[in-house]
Each structure stands twice: as C-alpha cells, then as structure tokens.
Amino acid sequence: MGAAAIDINFGCPAKTVNRHDGGACLLQTPERIYNIVKAMRAAVPETTPVSAKIRLGFNDRSRYLEIAQAAADAGANRLTVHARRKVDGSKPPAYWDCVGHINAALAIPVVVNGDIWSVADYLRARAESGCEDVMLGRGLLSCPDLAAQIKAHVNHLTYQPLTWPQVLQLLFGHYQAGKS
C-alpha cells in the first residue's frame, strides 16, 4: 500500500496485547520473531525499510542476543531495544549495557531506548550501549522539549529549556490548530 517504512513492535508489555499473543510475549520464542520479520520483509519491496522493537526478554534476560539476532537474520534493517524485560515494565533501571552487547553483535543499526529523561541520560545511554541513535519515550512526555535540549547539546548551542507555562501554551496552540 506504499508505506514509507514498517516497524514491528515486539516490546509492548500491555496485558491485553500479550493475552492475545502479541507484543512482548513473542520474546519467549525468537523463532517466531524471525518468522514474522521474514514474512514482513518478503511482503514489502526491498526499498521499504523493516524495523523491529524488542525488549531484553520476557521473564529473564538470558536470550536477548538470540532475540535480537533473530530479527536481524530475518532481514530487519534496524532494531530498537527497550533496555528492560517485559516483567520490568517501565521500572528502573534500564540495562543499556545489554543493548551494547546487542549493538556489538549485529551488523544493522541498533537504537537504545528506556529511561532517557534528560541530556545526561541520553549521554549515558549512548556511552553504555555504543548506539548512535536513541528512542525517546516517557521522557519526552515528561519533558516535551527533551529532543530540542539534546539537539542543542550535540550542536554545542545554548538552549533555554521550556517552562511548563510555555509547554502548556505550545500544547494549547496545537490543540487549537487541530480544531480548525
């Protein structure tokens, strides 16, 4: 149908999704991850990137390299890794060093995700994982200009973080624009 890219989320911890045999429950069977990514890769043109998001496991972290390798071997062009298990939910800490093991083992780009709430967290996540790219999640909801703060830091620019009244004004502006 002409999608610019396909991203398959094997990291969703939601009970409803997992109860219906989707999301993170698939982390228990790396061969199924392989089959799903392989089928998607075969179903779309080679020019359409196929990426996957995983966690470090379901109940334990013993198979995270196998899980990551399954996605890569099946043809994923990129892998995002939420640096926790499914049973961890979003509770700290994030195990960025484990993402580093994945990053070192795979030939495809790996993106680190989890517990990135500040520029300092961004720097630590990149350092511990060796990943060039990060995915911002709840940290961006908590600090809507976090990406702008990171961009300014990377480019050695001065940046004044938004105050909450400025954030509210920005959100209200988007809300008003959506009504017209």
Side-chain angles (χ1 to χ4, degrees):
M1 298 193 69
I6 303 293
D7 185 57
I8 308 166
N9 186 354
F10 298 109
C12 182
K15 289 178 184 177
T16 301
V17 173
N18 283 252
R19 185 172 44 240
H20 295 322
D21 202 26
C25 75
L26 294 166
L27 299 171
Q28 299 172 98
T29 52
E31 57 279 357
R32 288 181 68 203
I33 289 174
Y34 175 89
N35 290 335
I36 292 167
V37 173
K38 183 104 173 139
M40 185 58 69
R41 177 72 275 161
V44 298
E46 190 60 37
T47 55
T48 303
V50 174
S51 59
K53 183 178 183 197
I54 64 169
R55 287 175 169 260
L56 295 175
F58 192 82
N59 289 317
D60 63 64
R61 292 190 298 274
S62 64
R63 298 178 76 185
Y64 67 83
L65 285 173
E66 183 183 358
I67 294 163
Q69 195 67 57
D73 288 350
N77 300 98
R78 174 181 301 263
L79 184 69
T80 300
V81 183
H82 184 113
R84 295 184 182 92
R85 304 166 300 163
K86 186 269 185 198
V87 296
D88 296 327
S90 296
K91 289 182 275 185
Y95 298 94
W96 299 321
D97 60 321
C98 294
V99 181
H101 299 148
I102 293 170
N103 191 33
L106 300 186
I108 61 173
V110 176
V111 179
V112 64
N113 171 245
D115 265 2
I116 302 170
W117 298 88
S118 66
V119 173
D121 293 339
Y122 161 82
L123 295 171
R124 280 195 310 277
R126 287 192 63 211
E128 289 185 30
S129 70
C131 294
E132 186 173 324
D133 295 319
V134 304
M135 174 184 272
L136 302 176
R138 292 175 308 119
L140 192 59
L141 294 174
S142 172
C143 181
D145 67 335
L146 179 56
Q149 291 178 34
I150 291 169
K151 182 178 180 181
H153 177 82
V154 167
N155 292 307
H156 307 288
L157 300 172
T158 302
Y159 180 81
Q160 182 62 43
L162 295 176
T163 63
W164 274 108
Q166 290 170 318
V167 169
L168 293 174
Q169 185 178 15
L170 182 67
L171 291 172
F172 186 71
H174 285 294
Y175 171 75
Q176 289 295 78
K179 291 177 79 175
S180 52

